Amino acid sequence: MKSDTQSSLEVSARPIDLQQDQDGNVFPMALCCDHPDTSLDKAVRWVAANKTSLLSQATSHGTVFFRGFPLASADDFDAFVSALGISNFPYKKSLSNAVRVNRTERIFTANEAPSDVDILFHHEMAQTPIYPETILFFCEKPAEQGGATQLCRSDWLYERLIVECPEFIRKCEQEGLKYSSVMPDIDDAQSGMGRSWRSTLQVESKQAAEQRLAELRYSFEWLEGDCLRATTPTLPGVMEVSPGRKTFFNQLIAAYGGWKDTRNDPAEAIRHGDGTKLDADAVQRAIEISEELSFEAQWQPGDVALIDNTIV
């Protein structure tokens, strides 16, 4: 890839370990900066000059992986993200159930839960009516061991499931999904879904929480210890991202298999929109296929992943 003369930077598409290829469509697409002594300013200008193409490639390939760019801190990453020209999606205004810490106004940690807490496959905030179209990950410091991030193409997952579990997929598509979770009164960083209802809803009182939930068309129930059980309206189970291209867009795998802590039971976390339970065998097959299709991002310092959240 080459850009205009004002922001000329030698960047090349290269294969990386574990990269997948399905009929010539690679996942993820990997772009490597060929000059490690490149300045941050020059890299940022290159991103700005190529932002339309980069976002388009993220949609085509699901993920664009950047390696060798001169990024060392959250502030550097903030400059990189800002150059793409996409709207900020502040954590504090999101309905994410994860406890996170802002490093800049735009950048925040992925999850404050301990490393032994499993984070299963999901589309970011697909369990809410408000989700980002684009998300980015940045590696400031890789884990000493492990620490890979699994990514899965949900269009490829959909194509497998519509063949192997057609009735299940049709019901996800026609009836949608509802999610239920119990939020604590104060943040619980020991849980992967421990964000308090005060933080999630950006309120200070139960009355204000109820008003916000009514605006979102959630049903709710107050529990012991001022915990709040909230249930979403019917949300998509499948998304058509372009004519003929569908994705398994939801938080089904995460909710069914991972929404577990002292307050939450995965068995009560998700239903079809009509209130019926999910086909356990089909869900298990979805989990198995997603693992088969997964790419494990083996992070190096400064790596960035640009992800189309409707695809991956």
Side-chain angles (χ1 to χ4, degrees), residues 62-92:
T63 300
V64 178
F65 205 74
F66 300 86
R67 175 158 288 170
F69 285 74
L71 308 177
S73 68
D75 287 331
D76 295 348
F77 181 40
D78 192 306
F80 185 98
V81 175
S82 297
L84 287 167
I86 53 180
S87 299
N88 189 20
F89 194 123
Y91 166 62
K92 65 182 179 181

PDB file of all heavy atoms in Angstrom, residues 62-92:
ATOM      1  N   GLY A  62     -12.513  -8.278   7.758  1.00  0.00           N
ATOM      2  CA  GLY A  62     -12.886  -8.423   9.166  1.00  0.00           C
ATOM      3  C   GLY A  62     -11.958  -7.662  10.087  1.00  0.00           C
ATOM      4  O   GLY A  62     -12.395  -6.966  10.994  1.00  0.00           O
ATOM      5  N   THR A  63     -10.657  -7.799   9.855  1.00  0.00           N
ATOM      6  CA  THR A  63      -9.649  -7.167  10.702  1.00  0.00           C
ATOM      7  C   THR A  63      -8.446  -6.758   9.874  1.00  0.00           C
ATOM      8  O   THR A  63      -8.008  -7.503   8.998  1.00  0.00           O
ATOM      9  CB  THR A  63      -9.178  -8.138  11.809  1.00  0.00           C
ATOM     10  OG1 THR A  63     -10.285  -8.511  12.630  1.00  0.00           O
ATOM     11  CG2 THR A  63      -8.097  -7.515  12.682  1.00  0.00           C
ATOM     12  N   VAL A  64      -7.925  -5.563  10.144  1.00  0.00           N
ATOM     13  CA  VAL A  64      -6.627  -5.146   9.616  1.00  0.00           C
ATOM     14  C   VAL A  64      -5.679  -5.077  10.801  1.00  0.00           C
ATOM     15  O   VAL A  64      -5.936  -4.378  11.785  1.00  0.00           O
ATOM     16  CB  VAL A  64      -6.690  -3.777   8.902  1.00  0.00           C
ATOM     17  CG1 VAL A  64      -5.295  -3.385   8.412  1.00  0.00           C
ATOM     18  CG2 VAL A  64      -7.667  -3.830   7.737  1.00  0.00           C
ATOM     19  N   PHE A  65      -4.590  -5.819  10.701  1.00  0.00           N
ATOM     20  CA  PHE A  65      -3.603  -5.921  11.780  1.00  0.00           C
ATOM     21  C   PHE A  65      -2.385  -5.092  11.390  1.00  0.00           C
ATOM     22  O   PHE A  65      -1.824  -5.278  10.307  1.00  0.00           O
ATOM     23  CB  PHE A  65      -3.214  -7.395  11.960  1.00  0.00           C
ATOM     24  CG  PHE A  65      -2.719  -7.742  13.320  1.00  0.00           C
ATOM     25  CD1 PHE A  65      -3.591  -7.845  14.392  1.00  0.00           C
ATOM     26  CD2 PHE A  65      -1.367  -7.980  13.548  1.00  0.00           C
ATOM     27  CE1 PHE A  65      -3.130  -8.174  15.653  1.00  0.00           C
ATOM     28  CE2 PHE A  65      -0.897  -8.309  14.801  1.00  0.00           C
ATOM     29  CZ  PHE A  65      -1.789  -8.412  15.863  1.00  0.00           C
ATOM     30  N   PHE A  66      -1.989  -4.158  12.236  1.00  0.00           N
ATOM     31  CA  PHE A  66      -0.851  -3.278  11.970  1.00  0.00           C
ATOM     32  C   PHE A  66       0.333  -3.697  12.838  1.00  0.00           C
ATOM     33  O   PHE A  66       0.188  -3.845  14.056  1.00  0.00           O
ATOM     34  CB  PHE A  66      -1.203  -1.826  12.289  1.00  0.00           C
ATOM     35  CG  PHE A  66      -2.350  -1.279  11.480  1.00  0.00           C
ATOM     36  CD1 PHE A  66      -3.661  -1.463  11.893  1.00  0.00           C
ATOM     37  CD2 PHE A  66      -2.117  -0.574  10.309  1.00  0.00           C
ATOM     38  CE1 PHE A  66      -4.722  -0.954  11.162  1.00  0.00           C
ATOM     39  CE2 PHE A  66      -3.175  -0.052   9.561  1.00  0.00           C
ATOM     40  CZ  PHE A  66      -4.482  -0.246   9.994  1.00  0.00           C
ATOM     41  N   ARG A  67       1.487  -3.848  12.221  1.00  0.00           N
ATOM     42  CA  ARG A  67       2.687  -4.252  12.972  1.00  0.00           C
ATOM     43  C   ARG A  67       3.878  -3.399  12.529  1.00  0.00           C
ATOM     44  O   ARG A  67       4.025  -3.076  11.357  1.00  0.00           O
ATOM     45  CB  ARG A  67       2.974  -5.731  12.760  1.00  0.00           C
ATOM     46  CG  ARG A  67       4.267  -6.229  13.399  1.00  0.00           C
ATOM     47  CD  ARG A  67       4.218  -7.731  13.616  1.00  0.00           C
ATOM     48  NE  ARG A  67       3.311  -8.086  14.709  1.00  0.00           N
ATOM     49  CZ  ARG A  67       2.933  -9.330  14.989  1.00  0.00           C
ATOM     50  NH1 ARG A  67       3.353 -10.338  14.246  1.00  0.00           N
ATOM     51  NH2 ARG A  67       2.121  -9.578  16.014  1.00  0.00           N
ATOM     52  N   GLY A  68       4.717  -3.024  13.499  1.00  0.00           N
ATOM     53  CA  GLY A  68       5.919  -2.270  13.200  1.00  0.00           C
ATOM     54  C   GLY A  68       5.718  -0.768  13.156  1.00  0.00           C
ATOM     55  O   GLY A  68       6.635  -0.032  12.780  1.00  0.00           O
ATOM     56  N   PHE A  69       4.527  -0.301  13.514  1.00  0.00           N
ATOM     57  CA  PHE A  69       4.272   1.135  13.539  1.00  0.00           C
ATOM     58  C   PHE A  69       4.807   1.715  14.858  1.00  0.00           C
ATOM     59  O   PHE A  69       4.853   1.015  15.881  1.00  0.00           O
ATOM     60  CB  PHE A  69       2.779   1.416  13.389  1.00  0.00           C
ATOM     61  CG  PHE A  69       2.268   1.220  11.983  1.00  0.00           C
ATOM     62  CD1 PHE A  69       2.097  -0.065  11.460  1.00  0.00           C
ATOM     63  CD2 PHE A  69       1.967   2.310  11.181  1.00  0.00           C
ATOM     64  CE1 PHE A  69       1.643  -0.256  10.165  1.00  0.00           C
ATOM     65  CE2 PHE A  69       1.516   2.131   9.880  1.00  0.00           C
ATOM     66  CZ  PHE A  69       1.347   0.851   9.364  1.00  0.00           C
ATOM     67  N   PRO A  70       5.188   3.010  14.863  1.00  0.00           N
ATOM     68  CA  PRO A  70       5.871   3.582  16.029  1.00  0.00           C
ATOM     69  C   PRO A  70       4.911   3.996  17.145  1.00  0.00           C
ATOM     70  O   PRO A  70       4.759   5.184  17.460  1.00  0.00           O
ATOM     71  CB  PRO A  70       6.576   4.807  15.432  1.00  0.00           C
ATOM     72  CG  PRO A  70       5.673   5.251  14.331  1.00  0.00           C
ATOM     73  CD  PRO A  70       5.129   3.975  13.738  1.00  0.00           C
ATOM     74  N   LEU A  71       4.260   2.999  17.749  1.00  0.00           N
ATOM     75  CA  LEU A  71       3.301   3.256  18.827  1.00  0.00           C
ATOM     76  C   LEU A  71       3.813   2.613  20.111  1.00  0.00           C
ATOM     77  O   LEU A  71       4.112   1.414  20.126  1.00  0.00           O
ATOM     78  CB  LEU A  71       1.928   2.685  18.482  1.00  0.00           C
ATOM     79  CG  LEU A  71       1.324   3.080  17.132  1.00  0.00           C
ATOM     80  CD1 LEU A  71      -0.003   2.369  16.925  1.00  0.00           C
ATOM     81  CD2 LEU A  71       1.152   4.578  17.032  1.00  0.00           C
ATOM     82  N   ALA A  72       3.891   3.398  21.170  1.00  0.00           N
ATOM     83  CA  ALA A  72       4.431   2.863  22.422  1.00  0.00           C
ATOM     84  C   ALA A  72       3.534   3.115  23.620  1.00  0.00           C
ATOM     85  O   ALA A  72       3.735   2.513  24.669  1.00  0.00           O
ATOM     86  CB  ALA A  72       5.818   3.466  22.695  1.00  0.00           C
ATOM     87  N   SER A  73       2.537   3.989  23.482  1.00  0.00           N
ATOM     88  CA  SER A  73       1.737   4.375  24.644  1.00  0.00           C
ATOM     89  C   SER A  73       0.284   4.555  24.257  1.00  0.00           C
ATOM     90  O   SER A  73      -0.075   4.586  23.068  1.00  0.00           O
ATOM     91  CB  SER A  73       2.269   5.689  25.225  1.00  0.00           C
ATOM     92  OG  SER A  73       2.019   6.760  24.320  1.00  0.00           O
ATOM     93  N   ALA A  74      -0.562   4.710  25.270  1.00  0.00           N
ATOM     94  CA  ALA A  74      -1.979   4.968  25.019  1.00  0.00           C
ATOM     95  C   ALA A  74      -2.172   6.265  24.252  1.00  0.00           C
ATOM     96  O   ALA A  74      -3.059   6.372  23.397  1.00  0.00           O
ATOM     97  CB  ALA A  74      -2.742   5.021  26.346  1.00  0.00           C
ATOM     98  N   ASP A  75      -1.340   7.270  24.525  1.00  0.00           N
ATOM     99  CA  ASP A  75      -1.434   8.537  23.800  1.00  0.00           C
ATOM    100  C   ASP A  75      -1.089   8.352  22.319  1.00  0.00           C
ATOM    101  O   ASP A  75      -1.729   8.951  21.447  1.00  0.00           O
ATOM    102  CB  ASP A  75      -0.509   9.576  24.422  1.00  0.00           C
ATOM    103  CG  ASP A  75      -1.031  10.088  25.760  1.00  0.00           C
ATOM    104  OD1 ASP A  75      -2.260  10.104  25.944  1.00  0.00           O
ATOM    105  OD2 ASP A  75      -0.210  10.460  26.619  1.00  0.00           O
ATOM    106  N   ASP A  76      -0.074   7.529  22.036  1.00  0.00           N
ATOM    107  CA  ASP A  76       0.269   7.228  20.642  1.00  0.00           C
ATOM    108  C   ASP A  76      -0.904   6.540  19.944  1.00  0.00           C
ATOM    109  O   ASP A  76      -1.254   6.865  18.801  1.00  0.00           O
ATOM    110  CB  ASP A  76       1.493   6.317  20.574  1.00  0.00           C
ATOM    111  CG  ASP A  76       2.760   6.978  21.109  1.00  0.00           C
ATOM    112  OD1 ASP A  76       2.756   8.208  21.317  1.00  0.00           O
ATOM    113  OD2 ASP A  76       3.739   6.249  21.327  1.00  0.00           O
ATOM    114  N   PHE A  77      -1.486   5.576  20.629  1.00  0.00           N
ATOM    115  CA  PHE A  77      -2.627   4.840  20.087  1.00  0.00           C
ATOM    116  C   PHE A  77      -3.803   5.784  19.858  1.00  0.00           C
ATOM    117  O   PHE A  77      -4.503   5.694  18.845  1.00  0.00           O
ATOM    118  CB  PHE A  77      -3.005   3.719  21.049  1.00  0.00           C
ATOM    119  CG  PHE A  77      -4.163   2.852  20.621  1.00  0.00           C
ATOM    120  CD1 PHE A  77      -4.322   2.454  19.310  1.00  0.00           C
ATOM    121  CD2 PHE A  77      -5.089   2.423  21.567  1.00  0.00           C
ATOM    122  CE1 PHE A  77      -5.387   1.641  18.930  1.00  0.00           C
ATOM    123  CE2 PHE A  77      -6.151   1.622  21.198  1.00  0.00           C
ATOM    124  CZ  PHE A  77      -6.317   1.228  19.879  1.00  0.00           C
ATOM    125  N   ASP A  78      -4.028   6.705  20.772  1.00  0.00           N
ATOM    126  CA  ASP A  78      -5.095   7.694  20.631  1.00  0.00           C
ATOM    127  C   ASP A  78      -4.902   8.495  19.337  1.00  0.00           C
ATOM    128  O   ASP A  78      -5.860   8.730  18.580  1.00  0.00           O
ATOM    129  CB  ASP A  78      -5.087   8.629  21.843  1.00  0.00           C
ATOM    130  CG  ASP A  78      -6.326   9.502  21.922  1.00  0.00           C
ATOM    131  OD1 ASP A  78      -6.626  10.202  20.939  1.00  0.00           O
ATOM    132  OD2 ASP A  78      -6.987   9.495  22.981  1.00  0.00           O
ATOM    133  N   ALA A  79      -3.664   8.908  19.064  1.00  0.00           N
ATOM    134  CA  ALA A  79      -3.382   9.668  17.848  1.00  0.00           C
ATOM    135  C   ALA A  79      -3.658   8.822  16.604  1.00  0.00           C
ATOM    136  O   ALA A  79      -4.198   9.317  15.601  1.00  0.00           O
ATOM    137  CB  ALA A  79      -1.935  10.145  17.856  1.00  0.00           C
ATOM    138  N   PHE A  80      -3.298   7.546  16.652  1.00  0.00           N
ATOM    139  CA  PHE A  80      -3.530   6.608  15.551  1.00  0.00           C
ATOM    140  C   PHE A  80      -5.028   6.475  15.286  1.00  0.00           C
ATOM    141  O   PHE A  80      -5.492   6.578  14.142  1.00  0.00           O
ATOM    142  CB  PHE A  80      -2.925   5.253  15.923  1.00  0.00           C
ATOM    143  CG  PHE A  80      -2.981   4.211  14.851  1.00  0.00           C
ATOM    144  CD1 PHE A  80      -1.885   3.971  14.034  1.00  0.00           C
ATOM    145  CD2 PHE A  80      -4.109   3.430  14.663  1.00  0.00           C
ATOM    146  CE1 PHE A  80      -1.921   2.989  13.052  1.00  0.00           C
ATOM    147  CE2 PHE A  80      -4.162   2.448  13.688  1.00  0.00           C
ATOM    148  CZ  PHE A  80      -3.052   2.230  12.882  1.00  0.00           C
ATOM    149  N   VAL A  81      -5.810   6.267  16.355  1.00  0.00           N
ATOM    150  CA  VAL A  81      -7.255   6.100  16.217  1.00  0.00           C
ATOM    151  C   VAL A  81      -7.894   7.384  15.697  1.00  0.00           C
ATOM    152  O   VAL A  81      -8.746   7.359  14.800  1.00  0.00           O
ATOM    153  CB  VAL A  81      -7.881   5.692  17.559  1.00  0.00           C
ATOM    154  CG1 VAL A  81      -9.402   5.626  17.445  1.00  0.00           C
ATOM    155  CG2 VAL A  81      -7.342   4.339  18.027  1.00  0.00           C
ATOM    156  N   SER A  82      -7.490   8.510  16.253  1.00  0.00           N
ATOM    157  CA  SER A  82      -8.064   9.792  15.843  1.00  0.00           C
ATOM    158  C   SER A  82      -7.861  10.039  14.355  1.00  0.00           C
ATOM    159  O   SER A  82      -8.719  10.634  13.694  1.00  0.00           O
ATOM    160  CB  SER A  82      -7.438  10.923  16.652  1.00  0.00           C
ATOM    161  OG  SER A  82      -7.726  10.792  18.037  1.00  0.00           O
ATOM    162  N   ALA A  83      -6.733   9.584  13.811  1.00  0.00           N
ATOM    163  CA  ALA A  83      -6.431   9.804  12.398  1.00  0.00           C
ATOM    164  C   ALA A  83      -7.407   9.078  11.471  1.00  0.00           C
ATOM    165  O   ALA A  83      -7.545   9.444  10.306  1.00  0.00           O
ATOM    166  CB  ALA A  83      -5.000   9.369  12.099  1.00  0.00           C
ATOM    167  N   LEU A  84      -8.093   8.053  11.988  1.00  0.00           N
ATOM    168  CA  LEU A  84      -9.061   7.326  11.167  1.00  0.00           C
ATOM    169  C   LEU A  84     -10.344   8.123  10.953  1.00  0.00           C
ATOM    170  O   LEU A  84     -11.159   7.777  10.087  1.00  0.00           O
ATOM    171  CB  LEU A  84      -9.400   5.977  11.814  1.00  0.00           C
ATOM    172  CG  LEU A  84      -8.310   4.910  11.730  1.00  0.00           C
ATOM    173  CD1 LEU A  84      -8.633   3.761  12.667  1.00  0.00           C
ATOM    174  CD2 LEU A  84      -8.146   4.406  10.300  1.00  0.00           C
ATOM    175  N   GLY A  85     -10.551   9.160  11.769  1.00  0.00           N
ATOM    176  CA  GLY A  85     -11.703  10.034  11.578  1.00  0.00           C
ATOM    177  C   GLY A  85     -13.030   9.432  11.983  1.00  0.00           C
ATOM    178  O   GLY A  85     -14.094   9.901  11.566  1.00  0.00           O
ATOM    179  N   ILE A  86     -13.022   8.373  12.827  1.00  0.00           N
ATOM    180  CA  ILE A  86     -14.271   7.762  13.266  1.00  0.00           C
ATOM    181  C   ILE A  86     -14.737   8.406  14.572  1.00  0.00           C
ATOM    182  O   ILE A  86     -13.936   8.890  15.364  1.00  0.00           O
ATOM    183  CB  ILE A  86     -14.112   6.236  13.450  1.00  0.00           C
ATOM    184  CG1 ILE A  86     -12.931   5.903  14.362  1.00  0.00           C
ATOM    185  CG2 ILE A  86     -13.940   5.557  12.100  1.00  0.00           C
ATOM    186  CD1 ILE A  86     -12.711   4.425  14.581  1.00  0.00           C
ATOM    187  N   SER A  87     -16.039   8.407  14.787  1.00  0.00           N
ATOM    188  CA  SER A  87     -16.603   9.031  15.984  1.00  0.00           C
ATOM    189  C   SER A  87     -16.176   8.281  17.237  1.00  0.00           C
ATOM    190  O   SER A  87     -16.112   7.042  17.248  1.00  0.00           O
ATOM    191  CB  SER A  87     -18.136   9.050  15.894  1.00  0.00           C
ATOM    192  OG  SER A  87     -18.559   9.803  14.779  1.00  0.00           O
ATOM    193  N   ASN A  88     -15.903   9.031  18.301  1.00  0.00           N
ATOM    194  CA  ASN A  88     -15.563   8.411  19.576  1.00  0.00           C
ATOM    195  C   ASN A  88     -16.795   7.745  20.180  1.00  0.00           C
ATOM    196  O   ASN A  88     -17.905   8.272  20.094  1.00  0.00           O
ATOM    197  CB  ASN A  88     -15.011   9.466  20.538  1.00  0.00           C
ATOM    198  CG  ASN A  88     -14.426   8.856  21.800  1.00  0.00           C
ATOM    199  OD1 ASN A  88     -14.097   7.676  21.815  1.00  0.00           O
ATOM    200  ND2 ASN A  88     -14.287   9.647  22.840  1.00  0.00           N
ATOM    201  N   PHE A  89     -16.607   6.591  20.774  1.00  0.00           N
ATOM    202  CA  PHE A  89     -17.669   5.861  21.474  1.00  0.00           C
ATOM    203  C   PHE A  89     -17.214   5.739  22.924  1.00  0.00           C
ATOM    204  O   PHE A  89     -16.589   4.749  23.294  1.00  0.00           O
ATOM    205  CB  PHE A  89     -17.857   4.482  20.840  1.00  0.00           C
ATOM    206  CG  PHE A  89     -19.131   3.772  21.248  1.00  0.00           C
ATOM    207  CD1 PHE A  89     -20.040   3.367  20.284  1.00  0.00           C
ATOM    208  CD2 PHE A  89     -19.405   3.488  22.573  1.00  0.00           C
ATOM    209  CE1 PHE A  89     -21.199   2.689  20.630  1.00  0.00           C
ATOM    210  CE2 PHE A  89     -20.562   2.815  22.938  1.00  0.00           C
ATOM    211  CZ  PHE A  89     -21.477   2.421  21.964  1.00  0.00           C
ATOM    212  N   PRO A  90     -17.494   6.733  23.776  1.00  0.00           N
ATOM    213  CA  PRO A  90     -16.932   6.737  25.142  1.00  0.00           C
ATOM    214  C   PRO A  90     -17.416   5.560  25.976  1.00  0.00           C
ATOM    215  O   PRO A  90     -18.592   5.194  25.941  1.00  0.00           O
ATOM    216  CB  PRO A  90     -17.443   8.067  25.721  1.00  0.00           C
ATOM    217  CG  PRO A  90     -17.857   8.885  24.545  1.00  0.00           C
ATOM    218  CD  PRO A  90     -18.323   7.912  23.509  1.00  0.00           C
ATOM    219  N   TYR A  91     -16.498   4.986  26.726  1.00  0.00           N
ATOM    220  CA  TYR A  91     -16.856   3.876  27.607  1.00  0.00           C
ATOM    221  C   TYR A  91     -17.963   4.271  28.571  1.00  0.00           C
ATOM    222  O   TYR A  91     -18.922   3.522  28.790  1.00  0.00           O
ATOM    223  CB  TYR A  91     -15.614   3.421  28.384  1.00  0.00           C
ATOM    224  CG  TYR A  91     -15.913   2.515  29.567  1.00  0.00           C
ATOM    225  CD1 TYR A  91     -16.520   1.275  29.369  1.00  0.00           C
ATOM    226  CD2 TYR A  91     -15.590   2.895  30.867  1.00  0.00           C
ATOM    227  CE1 TYR A  91     -16.803   0.443  30.439  1.00  0.00           C
ATOM    228  CE2 TYR A  91     -15.859   2.071  31.935  1.00  0.00           C
ATOM    229  CZ  TYR A  91     -16.470   0.847  31.728  1.00  0.00           C
ATOM    230  OH  TYR A  91     -16.750   0.032  32.789  1.00  0.00           O
ATOM    231  N   LYS A  92     -17.878   5.464  29.136  1.00  0.00           N
ATOM    232  CA  LYS A  92     -18.852   5.857  30.155  1.00  0.00           C
ATOM    233  C   LYS A  92     -20.270   5.956  29.598  1.00  0.00           C
ATOM    234  O   LYS A  92     -21.245   5.823  30.352  1.00  0.00           O
ATOM    235  CB  LYS A  92     -18.446   7.184  30.803  1.00  0.00           C
ATOM    236  CG  LYS A  92     -18.454   8.379  29.878  1.00  0.00           C
ATOM    237  CD  LYS A  92     -17.987   9.640  30.603  1.00  0.00           C
ATOM    238  CE  LYS A  92     -17.969  10.863  29.683  1.00  0.00           C
ATOM    239  NZ  LYS A  92     -17.507  12.072  30.386  1.00  0.00           N
TER     240      LYS A  92
END
